[in-house]
Amino acid sequence: MLIPHDTRIALDTVVDLMNTAPQGERADELAGVPELHAFLEAHKVSGVGELGPEDLRAVREVREKFAAVFSAPDARIAAPLINQLVAGAGTTPQLTDHDGYDWHVHYFAPGASVANHLAADCGMALAFIVVADEQERLRRCEAPDCGRAFVDLSRNRSRRYCDSRTCGNRLHVAAYRARRKEAAS
């Protein structure tokens, strides 16, 4: 699957934003405005002005909407969720080249809030995945104690874990040990 650079960046941002949500014993990584600012800076989100508690609340709401798209069983369910995200953000597509990036499209309106910025750009990236009939690539880690989001970009859509070095290895080692223990009995 060929994914343009700007779409890939937006998909990575969606995944990383979703993975800030509290889950199990893991606390919300967007606990306050400083954490939101750090997230936006780490993801090189452009045009971020002064942030306040209302921005944090709005970004958390967008995060929940992204999670709903990942949970949608098919395109018929995902499409209205994405449409709502993108329309609510007041998309205004514009071609731009900034900060060392080649030409790409921003979908958020000039002066948009950070939540609308994320909803528009990331929502469109999700829309492109659905249009390409690749929604099954939007996944959650299958490790029983994880559940982190990821986009499966493997050629054969076979990725099961958010990170093969952590969740994947841990489960494979546990299965290996269980087989050895059973064989020794």
Side-chain angles (χ1 to χ4, degrees), residues 51-67:
L51 299 172
E54 65 283 349
D55 294 301
L56 179 61
R57 181 195 50 74
V59 168
R60 285 176 174 166
E61 287 177 11
V62 167
R63 178 177 70 185
E64 289 175 25
K65 291 177 182 179
F66 289 151

Side-chain angles (χ1 to χ4, degrees), residues 46-116:
S46 61
V48 175
E50 191 151 335
L51 299 172
E54 65 283 349
D55 294 301
L56 179 61
R57 181 195 50 74
V59 168
R60 285 176 174 166
E61 287 177 11
V62 167
R63 178 177 70 185
E64 289 175 25
K65 291 177 182 179
F66 289 151
V69 171
F70 268 66
S71 298
D74 59 41
R76 296 236 174 262
I77 305 296
L81 298 171
I82 295 169
N83 287 341
Q84 180 186 27
L85 262 168
V86 171
T91 56
T92 307
Q94 47 192 320
L95 205 56
T96 184
D97 68 336
H98 62 86
D99 298 330
Y101 293 112
D102 206 355
W103 288 104
H104 59 282
V105 179
H106 281 301
Y107 294 94
F108 58 92
S113 70
V114 70
N116 283 341

Side-chain angles (χ1 to χ4, degrees), residues 139 142 150-154 157-163:
R139 297 200 176 152
E142 292 181 19
F150 68 94
V151 177
D152 179 3
L153 296 178
S154 66
R157 299 177 187 100
S158 63
R159 189 169 157 199
R160 297 175 50 206
Y161 306 110
C162 63
D163 186 351

Side-chain angles (χ1 to χ4, degrees), residues 107-127:
Y107 294 94
F108 58 92
S113 70
V114 70
N116 283 341
H117 179 141
L118 293 170
D121 275 3
C122 297
M124 287 303 299
L126 292 172

